[in-house]
Amino acid sequence: TRAVQVLAQCRNLARRMHLKDDLTAAHLLMIPDLWRSATPDAALPVIQEPARRAVRLALAALDKMRRAEGSQLGGDLARRLRFLESQVQRIERRAPRAALRLRRQLLARIKELDLPSRPDPVRLEREIAVCITRGDISEELVRLRSHCSQFAQLAGTGRPAGRTLDFLIQEMLREVNTIGSKAGDTDIVRRVVALKAELERIREQVQNVE
């Protein structure tokens, strides 16, 4: 056999080079080409088709499982996105009332100060308007709605979008944090907390999206 021929050649070479003849079966096993058949295995054509069929079935089952998981994940993200949009809508409705409330609070605070002279009404209104403008969250709400819309579109395409969705969540969190810091309204702050908690849950789910 080939192994016997190789062994004879190795021993012959060892004698010619005055080397120690300490070859063992373990040494022969370490020669990879020695144990490869020079001719194709006769059984190979027989098992090729069943192997291909098994691989096709396994891939089909994997694809079916991924589609089912994707459908469930998509439904969950859609429900969570609707919750976000409902909270944003409530904040939008609350924002004008929060501005009026802030104005009343500022006027009441000025009265409490018991100033020696009455402030100029025009200047007072201007200063109040500046304070209310600093607490205006309309731009943040517009951007937050835009991010929600982009998220819904990307999540519904069926194409790989995991990284983009994760980026959008970061942008949403930035807008929500700004709303929370600018709005001095208790109801808005409470909804901001709910938005942040839901966005963190969405971020966890997005980690499973390609």
Side-chain angles (χ1 to χ4, degrees), residues 12-34:
N12 183 43
L13 183 62
R15 283 194 301 270
R16 289 170 56 189
M17 299 185 68
H18 306 290
L19 298 175
K20 184 180 179 182
D21 184 358
D22 58 353
L23 286 172
T24 65
H27 291 116
L28 293 175
L29 290 173
M30 293 171 64
I31 305 174
D33 290 339
L34 186 60

PDB file of all heavy atoms in Angstrom, residues 12-34:
ATOM      1  N   ASN A  12      14.734   4.328   4.157  1.00  0.00           N
ATOM      2  CA  ASN A  12      15.860   4.345   3.228  1.00  0.00           C
ATOM      3  C   ASN A  12      16.583   5.687   3.302  1.00  0.00           C
ATOM      4  O   ASN A  12      17.819   5.765   3.317  1.00  0.00           O
ATOM      5  CB  ASN A  12      15.367   4.067   1.810  1.00  0.00           C
ATOM      6  CG  ASN A  12      16.513   4.001   0.815  1.00  0.00           C
ATOM      7  OD1 ASN A  12      17.562   3.396   1.076  1.00  0.00           O
ATOM      8  ND2 ASN A  12      16.312   4.623  -0.336  1.00  0.00           N
ATOM      9  N   LEU A  13      15.789   6.765   3.381  1.00  0.00           N
ATOM     10  CA  LEU A  13      16.380   8.096   3.486  1.00  0.00           C
ATOM     11  C   LEU A  13      17.136   8.256   4.802  1.00  0.00           C
ATOM     12  O   LEU A  13      18.208   8.863   4.847  1.00  0.00           O
ATOM     13  CB  LEU A  13      15.276   9.157   3.368  1.00  0.00           C
ATOM     14  CG  LEU A  13      15.710  10.619   3.388  1.00  0.00           C
ATOM     15  CD1 LEU A  13      16.616  10.907   2.194  1.00  0.00           C
ATOM     16  CD2 LEU A  13      14.491  11.533   3.367  1.00  0.00           C
ATOM     17  N   ALA A  14      16.573   7.695   5.873  1.00  0.00           N
ATOM     18  CA  ALA A  14      17.226   7.780   7.178  1.00  0.00           C
ATOM     19  C   ALA A  14      18.579   7.076   7.161  1.00  0.00           C
ATOM     20  O   ALA A  14      19.562   7.555   7.727  1.00  0.00           O
ATOM     21  CB  ALA A  14      16.323   7.180   8.254  1.00  0.00           C
ATOM     22  N   ARG A  15      18.671   5.886   6.507  1.00  0.00           N
ATOM     23  CA  ARG A  15      19.931   5.162   6.432  1.00  0.00           C
ATOM     24  C   ARG A  15      20.967   5.935   5.628  1.00  0.00           C
ATOM     25  O   ARG A  15      22.136   6.037   6.013  1.00  0.00           O
ATOM     26  CB  ARG A  15      19.709   3.778   5.794  1.00  0.00           C
ATOM     27  CG  ARG A  15      19.091   2.751   6.749  1.00  0.00           C
ATOM     28  CD  ARG A  15      19.203   1.342   6.185  1.00  0.00           C
ATOM     29  NE  ARG A  15      18.526   1.226   4.894  1.00  0.00           N
ATOM     30  CZ  ARG A  15      17.242   0.891   4.770  1.00  0.00           C
ATOM     31  NH1 ARG A  15      16.491   0.666   5.846  1.00  0.00           N
ATOM     32  NH2 ARG A  15      16.694   0.794   3.572  1.00  0.00           N
ATOM     33  N   ARG A  16      20.512   6.527   4.517  1.00  0.00           N
ATOM     34  CA  ARG A  16      21.441   7.258   3.663  1.00  0.00           C
ATOM     35  C   ARG A  16      21.992   8.508   4.358  1.00  0.00           C
ATOM     36  O   ARG A  16      23.143   8.903   4.118  1.00  0.00           O
ATOM     37  CB  ARG A  16      20.748   7.650   2.358  1.00  0.00           C
ATOM     38  CG  ARG A  16      20.482   6.444   1.434  1.00  0.00           C
ATOM     39  CD  ARG A  16      19.588   6.819   0.278  1.00  0.00           C
ATOM     40  NE  ARG A  16      20.127   7.935  -0.510  1.00  0.00           N
ATOM     41  CZ  ARG A  16      19.453   8.562  -1.473  1.00  0.00           C
ATOM     42  NH1 ARG A  16      18.202   8.156  -1.760  1.00  0.00           N
ATOM     43  NH2 ARG A  16      20.008   9.536  -2.134  1.00  0.00           N
ATOM     44  N   MET A  17      21.136   9.118   5.214  1.00  0.00           N
ATOM     45  CA  MET A  17      21.562  10.341   5.890  1.00  0.00           C
ATOM     46  C   MET A  17      22.064  10.072   7.304  1.00  0.00           C
ATOM     47  O   MET A  17      22.323  11.008   8.061  1.00  0.00           O
ATOM     48  CB  MET A  17      20.396  11.341   5.926  1.00  0.00           C
ATOM     49  CG  MET A  17      19.913  11.760   4.539  1.00  0.00           C
ATOM     50  SD  MET A  17      18.634  13.028   4.575  1.00  0.00           S
ATOM     51  CE  MET A  17      19.594  14.411   5.200  1.00  0.00           C
ATOM     52  N   HIS A  18      22.200   8.764   7.640  1.00  0.00           N
ATOM     53  CA  HIS A  18      22.692   8.362   8.967  1.00  0.00           C
ATOM     54  C   HIS A  18      21.840   8.963  10.101  1.00  0.00           C
ATOM     55  O   HIS A  18      22.349   9.482  11.088  1.00  0.00           O
ATOM     56  CB  HIS A  18      24.162   8.790   9.143  1.00  0.00           C
ATOM     57  CG  HIS A  18      25.049   8.292   8.054  1.00  0.00           C
ATOM     58  ND1 HIS A  18      25.377   6.944   7.906  1.00  0.00           N
ATOM     59  CD2 HIS A  18      25.651   8.965   7.025  1.00  0.00           C
ATOM     60  CE1 HIS A  18      26.172   6.809   6.825  1.00  0.00           C
ATOM     61  NE2 HIS A  18      26.349   8.019   6.276  1.00  0.00           N
ATOM     62  N   LEU A  19      20.517   8.885   9.898  1.00  0.00           N
ATOM     63  CA  LEU A  19      19.591   9.379  10.917  1.00  0.00           C
ATOM     64  C   LEU A  19      19.029   8.205  11.707  1.00  0.00           C
ATOM     65  O   LEU A  19      19.006   7.063  11.222  1.00  0.00           O
ATOM     66  CB  LEU A  19      18.440  10.155  10.263  1.00  0.00           C
ATOM     67  CG  LEU A  19      18.830  11.412   9.474  1.00  0.00           C
ATOM     68  CD1 LEU A  19      17.595  11.990   8.781  1.00  0.00           C
ATOM     69  CD2 LEU A  19      19.465  12.455  10.392  1.00  0.00           C
ATOM     70  N   LYS A  20      18.565   8.500  12.893  1.00  0.00           N
ATOM     71  CA  LYS A  20      17.977   7.478  13.741  1.00  0.00           C
ATOM     72  C   LYS A  20      16.627   7.046  13.165  1.00  0.00           C
ATOM     73  O   LYS A  20      15.786   7.871  12.831  1.00  0.00           O
ATOM     74  CB  LYS A  20      17.802   8.019  15.152  1.00  0.00           C
ATOM     75  CG  LYS A  20      17.272   6.984  16.133  1.00  0.00           C
ATOM     76  CD  LYS A  20      17.129   7.606  17.526  1.00  0.00           C
ATOM     77  CE  LYS A  20      16.576   6.579  18.514  1.00  0.00           C
ATOM     78  NZ  LYS A  20      16.383   7.167  19.854  1.00  0.00           N
ATOM     79  N   ASP A  21      16.431   5.750  13.044  1.00  0.00           N
ATOM     80  CA  ASP A  21      15.170   5.220  12.502  1.00  0.00           C
ATOM     81  C   ASP A  21      14.196   5.020  13.657  1.00  0.00           C
ATOM     82  O   ASP A  21      14.142   3.956  14.271  1.00  0.00           O
ATOM     83  CB  ASP A  21      15.445   3.904  11.769  1.00  0.00           C
ATOM     84  CG  ASP A  21      14.173   3.369  11.099  1.00  0.00           C
ATOM     85  OD1 ASP A  21      13.112   4.010  11.259  1.00  0.00           O
ATOM     86  OD2 ASP A  21      14.255   2.339  10.432  1.00  0.00           O
ATOM     87  N   ASP A  22      13.422   6.082  13.962  1.00  0.00           N
ATOM     88  CA  ASP A  22      12.466   5.983  15.082  1.00  0.00           C
ATOM     89  C   ASP A  22      11.046   6.285  14.619  1.00  0.00           C
ATOM     90  O   ASP A  22      10.223   6.822  15.358  1.00  0.00           O
ATOM     91  CB  ASP A  22      12.868   6.926  16.214  1.00  0.00           C
ATOM     92  CG  ASP A  22      12.949   8.381  15.757  1.00  0.00           C
ATOM     93  OD1 ASP A  22      12.811   8.611  14.533  1.00  0.00           O
ATOM     94  OD2 ASP A  22      13.129   9.263  16.606  1.00  0.00           O
ATOM     95  N   LEU A  23      10.749   5.971  13.376  1.00  0.00           N
ATOM     96  CA  LEU A  23       9.402   6.187  12.859  1.00  0.00           C
ATOM     97  C   LEU A  23       8.391   5.270  13.543  1.00  0.00           C
ATOM     98  O   LEU A  23       8.670   4.091  13.782  1.00  0.00           O
ATOM     99  CB  LEU A  23       9.384   5.929  11.349  1.00  0.00           C
ATOM    100  CG  LEU A  23      10.033   7.007  10.463  1.00  0.00           C
ATOM    101  CD1 LEU A  23      10.114   6.509   9.031  1.00  0.00           C
ATOM    102  CD2 LEU A  23       9.261   8.301  10.547  1.00  0.00           C
ATOM    103  N   THR A  24       7.213   5.843  13.813  1.00  0.00           N
ATOM    104  CA  THR A  24       6.125   5.062  14.418  1.00  0.00           C
ATOM    105  C   THR A  24       4.861   5.274  13.601  1.00  0.00           C
ATOM    106  O   THR A  24       4.817   6.131  12.692  1.00  0.00           O
ATOM    107  CB  THR A  24       5.875   5.506  15.870  1.00  0.00           C
ATOM    108  OG1 THR A  24       5.397   6.866  15.857  1.00  0.00           O
ATOM    109  CG2 THR A  24       7.149   5.422  16.712  1.00  0.00           C
ATOM    110  N   ALA A  25       3.822   4.528  13.948  1.00  0.00           N
ATOM    111  CA  ALA A  25       2.536   4.693  13.260  1.00  0.00           C
ATOM    112  C   ALA A  25       1.988   6.098  13.453  1.00  0.00           C
ATOM    113  O   ALA A  25       1.321   6.663  12.580  1.00  0.00           O
ATOM    114  CB  ALA A  25       1.541   3.654  13.777  1.00  0.00           C
ATOM    115  N   ALA A  26       2.272   6.707  14.608  1.00  0.00           N
ATOM    116  CA  ALA A  26       1.800   8.072  14.892  1.00  0.00           C
ATOM    117  C   ALA A  26       2.383   9.059  13.888  1.00  0.00           C
ATOM    118  O   ALA A  26       1.713   9.992  13.436  1.00  0.00           O
ATOM    119  CB  ALA A  26       2.178   8.476  16.312  1.00  0.00           C
ATOM    120  N   HIS A  27       3.662   8.836  13.506  1.00  0.00           N
ATOM    121  CA  HIS A  27       4.273   9.713  12.524  1.00  0.00           C
ATOM    122  C   HIS A  27       3.582   9.593  11.168  1.00  0.00           C
ATOM    123  O   HIS A  27       3.386  10.589  10.463  1.00  0.00           O
ATOM    124  CB  HIS A  27       5.767   9.377  12.373  1.00  0.00           C
ATOM    125  CG  HIS A  27       6.578   9.728  13.586  1.00  0.00           C
ATOM    126  ND1 HIS A  27       7.229   8.783  14.358  1.00  0.00           N
ATOM    127  CD2 HIS A  27       6.833  10.919  14.187  1.00  0.00           C
ATOM    128  CE1 HIS A  27       7.862   9.379  15.347  1.00  0.00           C
ATOM    129  NE2 HIS A  27       7.630  10.673  15.274  1.00  0.00           N
ATOM    130  N   LEU A  28       3.224   8.399  10.805  1.00  0.00           N
ATOM    131  CA  LEU A  28       2.541   8.203   9.525  1.00  0.00           C
ATOM    132  C   LEU A  28       1.165   8.872   9.516  1.00  0.00           C
ATOM    133  O   LEU A  28       0.717   9.393   8.487  1.00  0.00           O
ATOM    134  CB  LEU A  28       2.401   6.703   9.228  1.00  0.00           C
ATOM    135  CG  LEU A  28       3.713   5.946   8.954  1.00  0.00           C
ATOM    136  CD1 LEU A  28       3.441   4.460   8.795  1.00  0.00           C
ATOM    137  CD2 LEU A  28       4.402   6.494   7.709  1.00  0.00           C
ATOM    138  N   LEU A  29       0.486   8.849  10.658  1.00  0.00           N
ATOM    139  CA  LEU A  29      -0.840   9.469  10.743  1.00  0.00           C
ATOM    140  C   LEU A  29      -0.779  10.980  10.591  1.00  0.00           C
ATOM    141  O   LEU A  29      -1.777  11.629  10.255  1.00  0.00           O
ATOM    142  CB  LEU A  29      -1.503   9.120  12.083  1.00  0.00           C
ATOM    143  CG  LEU A  29      -1.929   7.656  12.244  1.00  0.00           C
ATOM    144  CD1 LEU A  29      -2.404   7.395  13.661  1.00  0.00           C
ATOM    145  CD2 LEU A  29      -3.040   7.318  11.242  1.00  0.00           C
ATOM    146  N   MET A  30       0.395  11.553  10.837  1.00  0.00           N
ATOM    147  CA  MET A  30       0.559  13.004  10.751  1.00  0.00           C
ATOM    148  C   MET A  30       0.759  13.476   9.314  1.00  0.00           C
ATOM    149  O   MET A  30       0.819  14.668   9.058  1.00  0.00           O
ATOM    150  CB  MET A  30       1.755  13.446  11.610  1.00  0.00           C
ATOM    151  CG  MET A  30       1.528  13.255  13.103  1.00  0.00           C
ATOM    152  SD  MET A  30       3.026  13.523  14.079  1.00  0.00           S
ATOM    153  CE  MET A  30       3.332  15.247  13.751  1.00  0.00           C
ATOM    154  N   ILE A  31       0.862  12.548   8.364  1.00  0.00           N
ATOM    155  CA  ILE A  31       1.020  12.915   6.950  1.00  0.00           C
ATOM    156  C   ILE A  31      -0.362  12.921   6.309  1.00  0.00           C
ATOM    157  O   ILE A  31      -0.928  11.862   6.007  1.00  0.00           O
ATOM    158  CB  ILE A  31       1.943  11.913   6.222  1.00  0.00           C
ATOM    159  CG1 ILE A  31       3.295  11.789   6.953  1.00  0.00           C
ATOM    160  CG2 ILE A  31       2.163  12.332   4.777  1.00  0.00           C
ATOM    161  CD1 ILE A  31       4.216  10.712   6.388  1.00  0.00           C
ATOM    162  N   PRO A  32      -0.984  14.116   6.114  1.00  0.00           N
ATOM    163  CA  PRO A  32      -2.389  14.169   5.660  1.00  0.00           C
ATOM    164  C   PRO A  32      -2.632  13.541   4.291  1.00  0.00           C
ATOM    165  O   PRO A  32      -3.602  12.817   4.092  1.00  0.00           O
ATOM    166  CB  PRO A  32      -2.688  15.679   5.650  1.00  0.00           C
ATOM    167  CG  PRO A  32      -1.356  16.342   5.575  1.00  0.00           C
ATOM    168  CD  PRO A  32      -0.404  15.451   6.299  1.00  0.00           C
ATOM    169  N   ASP A  33      -1.765  13.814   3.323  1.00  0.00           N
ATOM    170  CA  ASP A  33      -1.985  13.296   1.965  1.00  0.00           C
ATOM    171  C   ASP A  33      -1.881  11.782   1.876  1.00  0.00           C
ATOM    172  O   ASP A  33      -2.354  11.176   0.916  1.00  0.00           O
ATOM    173  CB  ASP A  33      -0.976  13.921   0.999  1.00  0.00           C
ATOM    174  CG  ASP A  33      -1.261  15.395   0.780  1.00  0.00           C
ATOM    175  OD1 ASP A  33      -2.410  15.803   1.030  1.00  0.00           O
ATOM    176  OD2 ASP A  33      -0.355  16.137   0.378  1.00  0.00           O
ATOM    177  N   LEU A  34      -1.257  11.184   2.878  1.00  0.00           N
ATOM    178  CA  LEU A  34      -1.058   9.738   2.839  1.00  0.00           C
ATOM    179  C   LEU A  34      -2.368   8.982   2.917  1.00  0.00           C
ATOM    180  O   LEU A  34      -2.498   7.876   2.398  1.00  0.00           O
ATOM    181  CB  LEU A  34      -0.137   9.320   4.002  1.00  0.00           C
ATOM    182  CG  LEU A  34       0.298   7.847   4.048  1.00  0.00           C
ATOM    183  CD1 LEU A  34       1.065   7.486   2.784  1.00  0.00           C
ATOM    184  CD2 LEU A  34       1.128   7.580   5.296  1.00  0.00           C
TER     185      LEU A  34
END
